[in-house]
Amino acid sequence: MTARKRYRRGKGTTRNRQRKRQPRGIITPAVFLLSLTAAAGFSLNSQPFITSTSTSPFQKSSIIGKAVFAELCRNGDFIHTKKQKSTHGLVRSTQLHASRRASSELFYTDNDEVDVVDAPITSLNPSKKGNDSNPSCPNIVLVTGFESFNRELYMEAASQLPNSCKINIKVFADKDIRSAQLAAMSDTEEGMGINPEFADAVRHADAFVGSLIFDYDDVLAVKSLLPYVKGPRLLFESATEIMEFNRVGSFTMEKTGDGPSGPPPAVKAILSKFSSGKEEDKINGYLKMLKVGPDLLKFIPGEKAGDLRTWLEAYRYWNQGGKNNVKAMLQLLTQRCLVKKESSAAHVSDTVLPQLEITPDVGLLHPLLLMQSSGLPNQYFESPKKYLDWRLSPECVSLSSKKGFRLAPPTAPRVAVLLYRKHVISGLRYISDLITIIESQGLLPIPIFINGVEAHTIVRDLLTSKHEIEGVAHGTTVRDVTYQPSKAASVDAIVNTIGFPLVGGPAGSMEAGRNVAVAETLLTSMNVPYIVASPLLVQSIPQWKQSGVLGLQSVILYSLPELDGAIDTCVLGGLVGDKIALIPERVRKMTSRVNGWMNLRRTPPSERKITIMVYGFPPNVGAVGTAALLDVPNSLERLLKRLDKDGYDVGGFATDPDASGESLVAALAILSENSVITTGASKMQEAIDARIERAKKGDITTAATLARPGGGLGGAKVKAFDVSRDDLDKSLGKYMSKKVNRAWSEKDRGPGVSGKGQLVVSGIQVGNVWITVQPLLGVEGDPMRLLFERDLTPHPQYCAGYEWMKKPEEEGGIGSQAVIHLGMHGTVEWLPGQPLGNDRQSWSDELLGGLPNIYVYAANNPSESILAKRRGYGTLVSYNVPPYGRAGLYLELANLKDLLNEYRESKASDNVSGKNSHVDLRDAIWSSCQRCEITADVPLLISDGEETNVVTGADLPESLTDDIFDRWALTVSDYLVELQDRLFSSGLHTLGDTPTDTEMTSYLQAYFGEKLSEEDCAKAISKWKEEQEFKTKGQSESNVLETIWSSFQEFAMKFTQDQSLESIKESNNASEEKISEHDVIFAEATNIVSLLGQTTEELDSIMNLLGGGYIKPKPGGDLLRDGTSVLPTGRNIHALDPYRMPSAGAWARGQRAAEEILRQHCEANNGAYPETTAVTLWGLDTIKTRGESIAIVLSLVGARPVKEGTGRTVRYDLVPLEELGRPRVDVLASLSGIFRDSFANVVDLLDDMFERAASAENEPDEMNFIKKHASELAADGVERPAARLFSNPPGDYGSMVNEVVSSGDWKESESLGETWKGRNVFSYGRNEGNEVRSGTARPVVLDKLLSTTERVVQEIDSVEYGLTDIQEYYANTGALKKAAENRKPLDSTTGQKKKVPLSIIEAFGGGSFEDSSARLPVRDVEDVLRLEYRSKLLNPKWRDTMIDQGSGGAYEISQRMTAIVGWAATADVDNFVFDEAAERYALDEETAKKLQKSNPEAFKNVVRRLLEAAGRGMWETDDETIEKLRDLYSDADDLVEQVSF
């Protein structure tokens, strides 16, 4: 056995810089073989395994030594290595630390040391391989793209060419093409930053071979140099723009005229014969063509056909891969294209091309066979069935015993593992190690290597599952005709280590090959977990450890697979130098996640132990058992009853008529009280029993349902634990417990601690279901803590809550097999750790362990759900948004409308009669407007000469004319119409509830507006009900009817989603029966009703996941903005492709919004443009609007998106000033943490744009404010003066302003602006950070931008989340506005700091926003606040709907009262808002009683916020009102604090 040596971490040396790159889209399949990402093979024979003619790729260790060296310790630190340059100046290998041996192989371990194994070292220097430059030999440049791990292989292949084909070869990876440092030098290759070494090599090249070149800047660089290449240019599997440079002799793929690039039409016609006819199989058909194409071309005469044959043969060698095939390709290229025949004819004729060494397209492998086949051809099984026969055979068991190999037991769960064939051919060691670890963790792997483009065919044709087998047997599932039962194997899970979409792989990521529906159908039929886990192929491990998964790698590993419903994505390793290294600990994490799902699958429902976790933050405001837009108590009750129906043990809850979800939540709230926690776990049941007795005696501070028999708890009992710090340390392990103890000392223990110093973990047990409140984050009372601690380690009780939930019951824990996080959103996904790509230091990774996390999440929030999915391993189950309500008019507003109608009628009558009776109504209308304070929104203006004055007095001026008043009255009427038509979420949604007829109508009317009558709404609902009855009847009679119904639904969805009215009419021009617009709208309405009727699937999906099944994917969004694509709910929601933003529609709307913002600003500032505008960029609105806020930023700067051939945005180009016609406006882009992490590509593109704008030549400062401000900063010696993208510290989220406001721990409003600034001082972009870390604190640049900011812009994307509905708007945008105002001079007219306007764009969809000819509604924040308060908080209709929702509705009211204070501190809130809020919620005795009964803490907070507003001078009111509020608060406080036992 090879001796191992241990070394400690080194310090103080330099890391090899990993340049951040803008990723590039992969080519579409439409350009012939150019999009292929894997090799061709040959037909499978009948042998039990296939013998390959290449040598075993796993016979020797992967060589790392000097070429690759780093260390991944448990705490994530790395050995710093020195750069060693090759003879031509590129970084080729790393010099080992002085204490290291020069020849070694690296393995990653789980401790703070590194194991180094003696191994030979292979140099990357071509001169050491016998390839010293020879002037008489052809020069070939080979670019490996992001397959840098093959660099040594290519050099070795070239060194072994026969003497007649000797060449000078230089091999470059994609990172060698350009230099970040050189990119800043305008005199270097036209400013593209091309590495001079690379440029010189290509200019003197006789031939060029390139593969996997996708980065846009790399493409431009290579394109600029390719014309210099004298001979053939072979480009494989790269960006479309570069593929047209393919040339061999007379064969070229250059465009001719307006035609497309690519092969001749005749060849394209031949290609079509090799496909199955299915769109999703087209790319696989191209691979088949590659096998025989060169042989067919032998029979086609002509020079061009011969040259095409050469290209195809070269590509065939390249695709098959391996050293010998690459050598053969180079020999082919040299013999046919480079060697001068007249001087070397004899040598050429004597040299025969090597035979193609073929590895099958699809095969299965195992380390045991590779271990025994040393010196023999590789052995690959041709089918999963034959592999399993061998794997379960005595032969395999005997061999494993002989080799000391640990096999999983034969009864272990079977997991299909999809592997990248190129990595198998290249002999990458990680594949063998991966299979070995999977076996050791008790899973039986079925490792299948594929080209990458045909993953779906493996699932479809060679895999099956118990669910699918049963479905076929019962006639509910129909397999594809391509299924091969004699070769297939049944599996329990699928792990894809390739990434990309299931259909088409890398090529499937483009529009031509994308087919999500196919993947969804296949995976639904299988109904097994689909997990993507892979090493990072285009990113180094050090960079991941410091900055998370970035750029293209995030798309490969997360964005694209999530479209297919992939879950629990894990990073298994990554690049270290040019090599792929596996991290065993991460592989074990992946297997633990798989085993978690397998544990559920193999446990009968009656024995499954489930935890349901509800939210309860912030404390002491009635937040326990609440969630955004969800009625948690009723949802909890529905969920428990459904569990009982499906055979789960929920005790007697489901059969107890008195059992109530409200009682369960009330009990949880009691357990969350500090006074109860202090008594410890043993006293908690007594506390609940005592509260039940108080409820029975009529105590108004307790939930009414607690007065029911048994407290309405359905037999639920407290199950709680007192956990010592020592026990927690043992559970967490040495490393994580050290972090906890360092952050939380015994003196600073955090919340959830008993009087005896024990950590209290509590919940209520109902059968096998444990219901608990998610532990508090621990920042309440000390919100400023996050400002100073980047790594906010969760407090001990938080950790104990999750640890004891996972801990087996026999070891004193709960023993949960799955957790259901009920409602949006929790906190575990926000804990410190990697922004993307969890590692062992990520707290969510540690606390969740292998526990399946079923996360019930609002369908309309695809932004924050990304974090829940990626950082919190959440398998999402979406729930519907509540029905929409129209605000209507009420009280004085309704009276005003009546007066205006009366005035209009009277005016019309007076015009006939000649009377002036309408004049008498003017004063009444004016007085009503003043009482409503409508005059702030619609001022009455009177011109006096050149001056225009606003009427403010109690009486109308005598000079007021009929014409002026009439125009003003009409504007008031229009405002009232807008107000009464404003939408709001009507109440809260109950999980799995089908909307009532009234609720269905509200959805339809909100969606269609006046296009659909109430009668049509009723007809659509009635039609759906009839079809439901038909479907139910059909199910009872025949499964065939179910199939018919399913087909009809698919047709209806396709009809309404994919076809516009125009296209439908166009397709029916030949038909006598025309389809009217009404027919189309009615069909869409019927489809919407049908989709809304499927909300019962929310519970169905939870049940299926608890059985270890698959859940269908859907894009997140809401019906109004995104249409029917987001329905039905009960789906695993995902975001969109980040490389297609802004979309065409978003770009058009964003331009219009920017134009309107500038128009309004210039109008208010005597024609002057703003020097700087701050724009907030949030993940939520970016996803739902497809990038409208990005488009606004581009338009303000004067830039536009540039798309490459596949439609992906790759650059933001500056519009020439002469075309722009105005100055470039500087932009401070305020990024949310989610936007920063989810749209890293956009951040890099924006950063690049600002850098180019700051250095734009021939643009004067007065026409380029970006350049002006950057020049001023540069003159002061400030680094990176063009930094414009600011956010929270890396890995952190939120401004903390809402926490400060909620705590009340602030004095002056100016401090809130400085809190925002302190949390948003980090600049991001491709030019930021160091070699591994993103984000750099740049307070001076931020100060400069804030001081010049003259306007702030915020887009609102949905009805559900308005300015007043959530805390984040004032905490981010409002506080940003305040930070800018803090840096303004005093206004001489007011004596206060000059105000900075905040423009709000409500992008809900519909109306003027969709009408390209209409002016966009861009409003000042104060105007929008008044609209929102009038339509929601102050509206009795909204109030009563919320109160009817019980404790959850009361909490929603309470939160909006906190938000009033936040907005009053950062903007201006009118006095009438406080007046009417006090009247509606505190001083109205009936309302106050209801609030206090349903949620006493929420009512207390309502009163507290009113008193706080008065105390801070935000609200002017009389002493009597203040005294009443004080009395109410005192009474509420006394009642809330009462706790008796």
Side-chain angles (χ1 to χ4, degrees), residues 744-911:
W744 300 89
S745 65
E746 285 294 328
K747 293 181 179 180
D748 185 17
R749 298 175 298 179
V753 181
S754 72
K756 295 180 180 180
Q758 301 285 81
L759 310 172
V760 181
V761 176
S762 64
I764 48 179
Q765 190 79 31
V766 189
N768 282 337
V769 179
W770 189 59
I771 309 170
T772 187
V773 179
Q774 188 171 48
L776 300 176
L777 269 179
V779 296
E780 63 281 356
D782 187 15
M784 300 302 288
R785 181 173 186 162
L786 276 181
L787 291 177
F788 307 107
E789 295 186 17
R790 178 178 175 229
D791 182 11
L792 185 70
T793 299
H795 58 79
Q797 192 269 343
Y798 194 108
C799 299
Y802 276 89
E803 289 297 310
W804 258 247
M805 177 175 63
K806 297 180 298 182
K807 199 178 192 67
E809 198 168 15
E810 57 270 21
E811 296 179 16
I814 294 297
S816 292
Q817 295 172 276
V819 59
I820 301 173
H821 278 91
L822 189 58
M824 182 187 81
H825 58 67
T827 56
V828 69
E829 65 268 27
W830 301 85
L831 294 177
Q834 292 291 359
L836 181 60
N838 286 342
D839 62 5
R840 194 171 187 173
Q841 295 182 81
S842 300
W843 274 104
S844 56
D845 186 90
E846 167 67 27
L847 295 182
L848 287 165
L851 196 66
N853 181 12
I854 301 170
Y855 210 139
V856 181
Y857 218 90
N860 69 342
N861 193 347
S863 172
E864 291 177 319
S865 68
I866 291 177
L867 263 70
K869 183 193 293 276
R870 298 176 181 178
R871 300 185 86 237
Y873 295 115
T875 300
L876 305 179
V877 179
S878 63
Y879 58 85
N880 197 18
V881 299
Y884 297 103
R886 297 277 180 186
L889 298 176
Y890 52 88
L891 303 177
E892 191 61 48
L893 291 170
N895 179 53
L896 176 59
K897 180 183 178 181
D898 292 340
L899 286 171
L900 287 167
N901 288 337
E902 185 180 351
Y903 176 81
R904 187 167 52 251
E905 293 169 1
S906 178
K907 184 73 181 291
S909 176
D910 287 351
N911 288 338

Side-chain angles (χ1 to χ4, degrees), residues 19 21-24 178 213-220:
R19 176 169 55 84
R21 312 171 59 76
Q22 168 58 27
R24 183 72 169 142
R178 295 179 302 111
I213 305 171
F214 299 119
D215 180 87
Y216 184 65
D217 293 316
D218 287 349
V219 168
L220 293 181

Side-chain angles (χ1 to χ4, degrees), residues 637 641 652-663 708-709 711-715:
E637 185 175 330
K641 289 180 178 179
F653 185 89
T655 56
D656 185 344
D658 296 309
S660 164
E662 285 285 359
S663 289
R708 295 179 182 180
L713 295 175

Side-chain angles (χ1 to χ4, degrees), residues 1450 1453-1455 1457-1458 1461 1474 1477-1478 1481-1484 1487-1489 1491-1492 1495-1511 1515 1521-1533:
I1453 293 169
S1454 168
Q1455 285 299 90
M1457 293 302 298
T1458 301
V1461 174
F1474 290 103
Y1481 297 100
L1483 303 178
D1484 183 297
T1487 299
K1489 285 183 178 179
L1491 285 173
Q1492 199 164 34
N1495 195 327
E1497 287 186 329
F1499 175 71
K1500 177 183 171 183
N1501 187 64
V1502 167
V1503 181
R1504 172 194 170 191
R1505 296 306 175 187
L1506 289 168
L1507 288 171
E1508 181 182 2
W1515 174 34
T1521 299
I1522 295 297
E1523 195 60 35
K1524 288 180 180 178
L1525 291 174
R1526 284 175 178 161
D1527 290 342
L1528 282 171
Y1529 186 78
S1530 178
D1531 293 343
D1533 195 40

Side-chain angles (χ1 to χ4, degrees), residues 588-616:
R588 290 194 291 272
K589 169 57 65 174
M590 181 268 290
T591 57
S592 75
R593 302 294 309 166
V594 176
N595 270 317
W597 292 107
M598 298 304 97
N599 189 18
L600 284 173
R601 289 176 70 86
R602 295 188 165 208
T603 303
S606 61
E607 299 175 17
R608 289 176 189 156
K609 299 183 184 300
I610 309 299
T611 289
I612 300 176
M613 185 172 283
V614 301
Y615 193 52

